[in-house]
Amino acid sequence: MRKELDKNIKRIAILGCTGSIGQQTLQVIRAFPERFEVVGLAAGSNRALLERQAAEFKPRAVHFAEGDDRKAGGGRSSALPKKLSLEEIASLDEVDLVVIATSGKAGLSPLLSAIRAGKQVALANKEALVMAGEIVTREARRHRARLLPVDSEHSAIWQCLRGEKEKPYRILLTASGGPFARYTSTQLSHVTPEEALRHPTWSMGKKVTIDSATLMNKGMEVIEAHWLFNVPLDRIQVLVHPQSIVHSMVEFGDGSIKAQLSQPDMRLPIQYALTYPERWTNAGLPRLDWSKAGALNFELPDMERFPCLKLAIDAAARGGTAPAVLCAADEVAVDLFLSGRLAFLDIPRLIGRTLDLHKSRLVGTHPSLEEIIQADGWARETARLLASRGQM
Amino acid sequence: MRKELDKNIKRIAILGCTGSIGQQTLQVIRAFPERFEVVGLAAGSNRALLERQAAEFKPRAVHFAEGDDRKAGGGRSSALPKKLSLEEIASLDEVDLVVIATSGKAGLSPLLSAIRAGKQVALANKEALVMAGEIVTREARRHRARLLPVDSEHSAIWQCLRGEKEKPYRILLTASGGPFARYTSTQLSHVTPEEALRHPTWSMGKKVTIDSATLMNKGMEVIEAHWLFNVPLDRIQVLVHPQSIVHSMVEFGDGSIKAQLSQPDMRLPIQYALTYPERWTNAGLPRLDWSKAGALNFELPDMERFPCLKLAIDAAARGGTAPAVLCAADEVAVDLFLSGRLAFLDIPRLIGRTLDLHKSRLVGTHPSLEEIIQADGWARETARLLASRGQM
């Protein structure tokens, strides 16, 4: 029987297939060749890897961003199959589930395409929900498109809520604290990009690794959790948990708390999103070894040393286009830090300054997508200008 | 409107109402006077407390064991309402849910009455499942009586399994380790009843507190979990967790683990069983304070220093009437220890010796209730005889 006739096969498109999440998604798919089919692949810059992936998984369509070489990928005879836009791949008729693993605001437009086509969406992109959480969740409800979280924290919350009828009393969002959890402010001022890229527990892409070191990543996750689970911001408590074994917890009205734990390995939450509502046994995934697990520690985060967390929560509380400005200024600041043009502690300063300037602008409480994209452009320009002038 | 006309009221009978679990059950009920009605109360020995409880909750029927004074409680005019047997109270028409909180084998017969009357049963009695797990679970299936665990560990497992379709890969049953977790064998040989009754994290009845100090309690919980959740014995791993915050965990086929946490307070699992499938907000119940939670530790148990754990698991693996013999010999051994006639380390020796003698007896794999009760009687007699002769 040909694969396409089999109802038990899930047909998957991966946007961001050459990044960390994309590659790990393909590892999970490789473990279940009879149950998944890769229908679309989209990559940003690593064409060599995309070609190898396309040769192995034989998708019907690909997207390759850099240089936009439609010629090279135009025909079946070339190294790549049919070339489509991100939005076209996200809404292909034969796709059941779209993995949105592109980082930054590039994920927003294809995410909305997938949602409007009623697809299941495994969402690893943070920025889309942070920038446009209200629009994304409203569209998902309207088109009955299911948003399946891929972030380990949100997957944990989702797993803890499984089968529960009551709304959570509180979400306890765990944070490793990043590589500098114990650094003093003086030590933080000397941090180099190389040091910041060495995350103690998770192996991830560059942008998210720096965001983890500043705790901006955790701040964005608070905003994501707020939208995904419809929980007020003040009912989301960040807890520093250096071992990254407990991926988050949900507290209920009766005082009972449920937690989800595993080895820190992104393939687990990826597989959960791909196989939901089932759980498949995968001998390739690690199990916790309790003879070695030892202690699990929890403490409240230090918002003074890690101001990005507070910046994010404050931006979300302001609402409107403030979270979009936060995202955009952070993308600029992390870029400048990675290229050595900004100190580590200047990241929150630059974002804070951009957000301050944004306060004077008229912001609606329910901005349109156009207003969000405009705010994003304004914030990038403003952050770059401020940085070039040293006005942090 | 009178209470009995209201479909939203749960009508409850509590067997063992003056014990620790019984009193805490009444505390939970007291917090929701509009939603619960106490229909029956049964006590073993504390008549004064039973009379106070009956005056407050006005049950239609009571049972009082000691002295069997039917005269005193026979009429509406006396201090107690209508007196019935445990089995009659457990199967009263107007009862929706029976809490079985009597300790020891006395819980078995009323448990079976409740099950055969198709009641929901909140089960806090361990011995019934340990002695007759096969019969109890088979009868529950046959009469569609739901067994709702009250033990904090089994409540945790039940909560973690909520909404899950897959069978657990493994159950991680946590144990505080008791007051002597760090004692050497020499120190253990000098333990007094007073020391053994001081449990570090839980406030419980005497029998279960001593069973916690020997880890026999945990061994019995392994057997209970095996029957309640239909999980093979070798897929149940005991983990020592001194803080008693994580009440147990379930590991799934995909490597994901779910845990249930709370302050160690029996009112939480009692309330969960009473309100299931709902969770009610109860301001009287404690919440975990994460600013103080600190470290959660986990390690594998030491079966050498705490042989009761191994005795229980081995008895369950042997099956037949061996678990009933384990229970009976333990009840005798704990009694003798509490009255100063047995040393702490003689508890496992006496139980082990009784089980050894039982090996030579013919044991069917699927014993009848009569065979189980016979084995119980034989084991009590044998254990007392061995102890009186000092043959441990």
Side-chain angles (χ1 to χ4, degrees), chain A residues 269-324:
Chain A
I270 292 169
Q271 180 178 308
Y272 186 73
L274 296 189
T275 66
Y276 179 83
E278 293 170 29
R279 293 180 180 273
W280 297 354
T281 298
N282 181 347
L285 295 187
R287 291 190 179 275
L288 261 186
D289 179 351
W290 289 97
S291 65
K292 294 176 192 153
L296 303 178
N297 297 91
F298 301 90
E299 58 185 79
L300 301 179
D302 182 347
M303 301 251 200
E304 301 278 312
R305 281 184 304 134
F306 296 96
C308 281
L309 182 53
K310 192 170 172 347
L311 284 171
I313 296 170
D314 288 352
R318 261 172 69 195
T321 49

Side-chain angles (χ1 to χ4, degrees), chain A residues 180-360:
Chain A
F180 311 128
R182 300 269 165 236
Y183 275 40
T184 64
S185 294
T186 314
Q187 286 175 303
L188 285 175
S189 66
H190 300 301
V191 159
T192 65
E194 292 68 34
E195 290 167 336
L197 286 172
R198 263 181 247 128
H199 194 274
T201 48
W202 287 103
S203 158
M204 305 176 290
K206 279 188 183 184
K207 166 71 163 53
V208 62
T209 303
I210 302 300
D211 282 342
S212 292
T214 63
L215 291 203
M216 176 58 87
N217 183 55
K218 206 50 56 177
M220 291 189 179
E221 288 176 3
V222 169
I223 306 174
E224 279 185 278
H226 163 66
W227 288 115
L228 280 173
F229 305 109
N230 192 21
V231 171
L233 289 164
D234 62 2
R235 290 288 172 129
I236 304 173
Q237 170 69 57
V238 172
L239 277 184
V240 176
H241 166 51
Q243 295 87 5
S244 299
I245 297 288
V246 173
H247 300 305
S248 278
M249 308 189 246
V250 174
E251 184 174 340
F252 296 94
D254 61 359
S256 177
I257 295 171
K258 272 156 86 169
Q260 188 267 337
L261 301 79
S262 73
Q263 288 283 15
D265 187 313
M266 283 306 296
R267 290 173 299 170
L268 275 104
I270 292 169
Q271 180 178 308
Y272 186 73
L274 296 189
T275 66
Y276 179 83
E278 293 170 29
R279 293 180 180 273
W280 297 354
T281 298
N282 181 347
L285 295 187
R287 291 190 179 275
L288 261 186
D289 179 351
W290 289 97
S291 65
K292 294 176 192 153
L296 303 178
N297 297 91
F298 301 90
E299 58 185 79
L300 301 179
D302 182 347
M303 301 251 200
E304 301 278 312
R305 281 184 304 134
F306 296 96
C308 281
L309 182 53
K310 192 170 172 347
L311 284 171
I313 296 170
D314 288 352
R318 261 172 69 195
T321 49
V325 169
L326 174 97
C327 267
D330 178 59
E331 231 174 289
V332 169
V334 170
D335 257 0
L336 291 171
F337 170 70
L338 281 174
S339 61
R341 284 174 288 163
L342 207 63
F344 186 74
L345 286 183
D346 283 338
I347 298 175
R349 288 191 193 115
L350 182 58
I351 301 165
R353 190 94 171 82
T354 310
L355 278 162
D356 284 345
L357 289 174
H358 180 66
K359 272 189 191 154
S360 61

Side-chain angles (χ1 to χ4, degrees), chain A residues 159 162-164 166 169 251-254 256-261 268 279-280 287 294-298, chain B residues 159 162-164 166 169 172 249 251-254 256-261 268 279 287 294-298:
Chain A
Q159 291 182 53
R162 190 169 177 157
E164 297 284 346
E166 248 79 359
Y169 171 85
E251 184 174 340
F252 296 94
D254 61 359
S256 177
I257 295 171
K258 272 156 86 169
Q260 188 267 337
L261 301 79
L268 275 104
R279 293 180 180 273
W280 297 354
R287 291 190 179 275
L296 303 178
N297 297 91
F298 301 90
Chain B
Q159 291 182 54
R162 193 174 171 150
E164 297 283 348
E166 246 80 1
Y169 171 82
L172 301 155
M249 308 190 246
E251 182 173 341
F252 296 95
D254 61 358
S256 179
I257 294 170
K258 272 157 86 171
Q260 189 268 338
L261 299 79
L268 276 104
R279 291 178 181 275
R287 289 188 180 278
L296 303 178
N297 298 90
F298 301 90

Side-chain angles (χ1 to χ4, degrees), chain B residues 52 66 83 115 147 184 237 239 269 275 287 347 375 392:
Chain B
R52 287 203 302 281
E66 204 149 279
K83 197 154 184 276
I115 286 174
L147 294 178
T184 62
Q237 171 70 56
L239 277 183
T275 67
R287 289 188 180 278
I347 298 175
M392 268 88 72

Side-chain angles (χ1 to χ4, degrees), chain B residues 183-363:
Chain B
Y183 275 38
T184 62
S185 295
T186 314
Q187 286 175 303
L188 285 175
S189 64
H190 299 301
V191 159
T192 66
E194 293 67 37
E195 290 168 335
L197 286 171
R198 265 180 245 128
H199 194 273
T201 50
W202 289 101
S203 159
M204 305 177 291
K206 278 188 183 183
K207 165 71 162 55
V208 61
T209 303
I210 303 300
D211 282 343
S212 292
T214 62
L215 293 203
M216 176 57 85
N217 183 55
K218 206 51 55 177
M220 291 189 180
E221 287 176 5
V222 169
I223 305 175
E224 278 185 277
H226 163 66
W227 288 115
L228 280 172
F229 305 110
N230 192 18
V231 170
L233 290 164
D234 61 0
R235 291 289 172 128
I236 304 173
Q237 171 70 56
V238 172
L239 277 183
V240 175
H241 166 51
Q243 295 86 7
S244 298
I245 297 288
V246 173
H247 301 305
S248 278
M249 308 190 246
V250 175
E251 182 173 341
F252 296 95
D254 61 358
S256 179
I257 294 170
K258 272 157 86 171
Q260 189 268 338
L261 299 79
S262 74
Q263 289 283 14
D265 186 314
M266 282 308 295
R267 291 173 298 170
L268 276 104
I270 291 170
Q271 180 177 308
Y272 186 74
L274 295 188
T275 67
Y276 179 83
E278 294 170 29
R279 291 178 181 275
W280 297 354
T281 299
N282 181 348
L285 295 187
R287 289 188 180 278
L288 261 186
D289 180 352
W290 289 96
S291 66
K292 295 176 191 152
L296 303 178
N297 298 90
F298 301 90
E299 58 185 77
L300 300 181
D302 182 346
M303 302 250 200
E304 302 277 314
R305 279 185 308 132
F306 296 97
C308 281
L309 182 54
K310 192 168 172 350
L311 283 172
I313 296 170
D314 287 351
R318 258 171 72 193
T321 48
V325 169
L326 175 95
C327 268
D330 179 58
E331 234 173 284
V332 170
V334 171
D335 258 0
L336 292 172
F337 170 70
L338 282 173
S339 60
R341 285 176 286 163
L342 206 64
F344 188 73
L345 286 183
D346 283 338
I347 298 175
R349 287 191 195 117
L350 181 58
I351 301 166
R353 189 94 169 82
T354 310
L355 279 163
D356 282 346
L357 289 175
H358 181 64
K359 270 188 192 157
S360 61
R361 293 167 62 87
L362 273 174
V363 183

